[in-house]
Amino acid sequence: GIALVDSKGDVLDCNSALAAMLGSTKEAIESKNFKTLLADENKDSVFGVLEKIRKGQSFDGSLEIKLKGAKNVSAQMHA
């Protein structure tokens, strides 16, 4: 699944695959902050990467993360 997240962490857009992975709807996900979709153990690492990007630093590679929703799923984050 794919989500477009702004610099504040708000989900601006996502695809139906992400919604299905989380057992939710696109509309419900698009009204949330991305942090609410992350398992607690991943919040600091994900927002650390996003903060680096916001400051103009690069992030090469991917980050293994767990998402929470009606279904808990593992995913890779590419930024």
Side-chain angles (χ1 to χ4, degrees):
I2 299 171
L4 176 62
V5 180
D6 70 11
S7 63
K8 296 178 286 186
D10 295 330
V11 179
L12 302 177
D13 191 18
C14 73
N15 65 5
S16 56
L18 180 63
M21 288 169 58
L22 296 175
S24 188
T25 64
K26 286 179 54 169
E27 295 77 19
I29 293 170
E30 289 168 356
S31 66
K32 295 185 179 200
N33 187 281
F34 191 65
K35 196 174 228 181
T36 65
L37 303 176
L38 297 170
D40 290 338
E41 65 264 26
N42 293 128
K43 290 180 182 181
D44 290 339
S45 59
V46 168
F47 274 80
V49 167
L50 293 177
E51 180 63 17
K52 285 182 181 181
I53 293 168
R54 190 186 70 73
K55 291 180 178 179
Q57 299 173 7
S58 65
F59 174 71
D60 297 324
S62 64
L63 185 64
E64 292 288 327
I65 61 172
K66 291 183 182 176
L67 301 173
K68 63 182 180 181
K71 304 174 186 178
N72 290 329
V73 296
S74 294
Q76 287 187 346
M77 183 181 104
H78 300 268

